[in-house]
Amino acid sequence: MVPLTFFLKVTMRPTGIVALRALPQSKMRTALRYVPPTTLIGAIAYPLQHVSGNRAETVYDRKTFKSTADGVKNLFEWVTVKTIGKPRLYGALLKINTVYRGKAQSAVTSFPFAVMYGSGDSTITAVYLVNGEELSKGPYTMKDLERAAWGITRLGSRESVVSVENVETGKAEISEACSAETSYAFPFKGFEVSGRGTLQSVVDWRSGIGDYSSAKRIVVFYPEGTVSVRGKLKVATVGGETVVLAP
């Protein structure tokens, strides 16, 4: 018997900026233009774990810190995002005052971020494909996931505030195809793409969420609008839209 795959589709409206830094960082900090999968899982994990009374954001495991989102990542078969409106990257220099060993000091730091406001109507739509078998083993239900989706308030940093405007749930239809049209981000590996978009290297969330110093990375194509994809594809239909899955 093939296990069921459910989906959550969460439409969010950013309040102005999405401040997500690429990791690991150097003194020359850089921002991510689009939301990576690890951030999407972290965004829903925090309100989800409130259901079980866990309000921690990090845990100490094997001499390193991990995000509590790592504990729920196996619920998801795939996570992706559709962005309406192209974010613009900016970097501000800030003067900060610190106290070190009783002495006041001044320093300069950078604050990189993606701007999503102006004349355009920007939205971010996240799709979570939920493994029904893993869900049945744990303490959560689809109703808990739906409640958690409505409880998303930010994407990563405290500056990245969003307002959830709609949550849709259902059963995902997964199939194979040789071509597809999609507006959702997908792994850029072995596919031929027609249309505009941006390539972004992101952490592969399946290898762990927390310490990214030696984490595996994948290259993801973030479409600008709808693009055509050709190749040996595995696709999911979620609420009338197509999502291209990892090969």
Side-chain angles (χ1 to χ4, degrees), residues 8-215:
L8 275 171
K9 186 189 293 187
V10 188
T11 303
M12 298 168 277
R13 193 173 300 278
T15 55
I17 66 171
V18 178
L20 301 171
R21 264 74 79 183
L23 296 173
Q25 285 284 1
S26 65
K27 289 186 178 180
M28 181 58 73
R29 298 180 181 180
T30 57
L32 295 175
R33 187 184 298 272
Y34 295 100
V35 184
T38 49
T39 297
L40 295 174
I41 294 176
I44 196 171
Y46 186 62
L48 179 62
Q49 290 178 332
H50 280 200
V51 174
S52 58
N54 181 8
R55 296 179 179 271
E57 292 192 32
T58 58
V59 292
Y60 191 65
D61 180 41
R62 298 180 183 180
K63 298 183 179 181
T64 186
F65 284 98
K66 284 187 176 181
S67 169
T68 51
D70 191 74
V72 301
K73 72 178 188 301
N74 290 336
L75 287 175
F76 306 108
E77 293 186 10
W78 191 247
V79 182
T80 186
V81 68
K82 173 179 71 174
T83 305
I84 303 299
K86 185 176 181 179
R88 296 178 179 272
L89 294 181
Y90 286 91
L93 291 178
L94 305 175
K95 184 176 180 180
I96 59 174
N97 297 318
T98 61
V99 177
Y100 179 69
R101 294 182 178 178
K103 294 183 179 180
Q105 297 178 334
S106 295
V108 175
T109 188
S110 61
F111 176 53
F113 52 90
V115 174
M116 295 189 70
Y117 59 78
S119 58
D121 188 17
S122 300
T123 58
I124 297 172
T125 303
V127 165
Y128 300 83
L129 292 183
V130 182
N131 186 305
E133 184 176 357
E134 287 292 330
L135 185 66
S136 65
K137 296 177 183 177
Y140 304 114
T141 65
M142 275 302 295
K143 193 64 179 178
D144 293 329
L145 287 170
E146 184 178 359
R147 288 174 56 198
W150 280 109
I152 294 174
T153 57
R154 60 185 175 95
L155 297 172
S157 70
R158 62 186 178 184
E159 298 87 5
S160 307
V161 178
V162 295
S163 172
V164 175
E165 304 217 329
N166 188 57
V167 177
E168 183 181 349
T169 63
K171 294 178 182 178
E173 299 177 12
I174 298 178
S175 60
E176 295 182 352
C178 58
S179 64
E181 291 191 352
T182 185
S183 301
Y184 287 86
F186 56 88
F188 189 72
K189 185 178 181 180
F191 299 148
E192 184 180 341
V193 181
S194 297
R196 296 177 62 85
T198 299
L199 292 174
Q200 182 172 284
S201 176
V202 301
V203 171
D204 187 344
W205 53 272
R206 295 165 295 184
S207 64
I209 300 176
D211 182 5
Y212 300 144
S213 58
S214 58

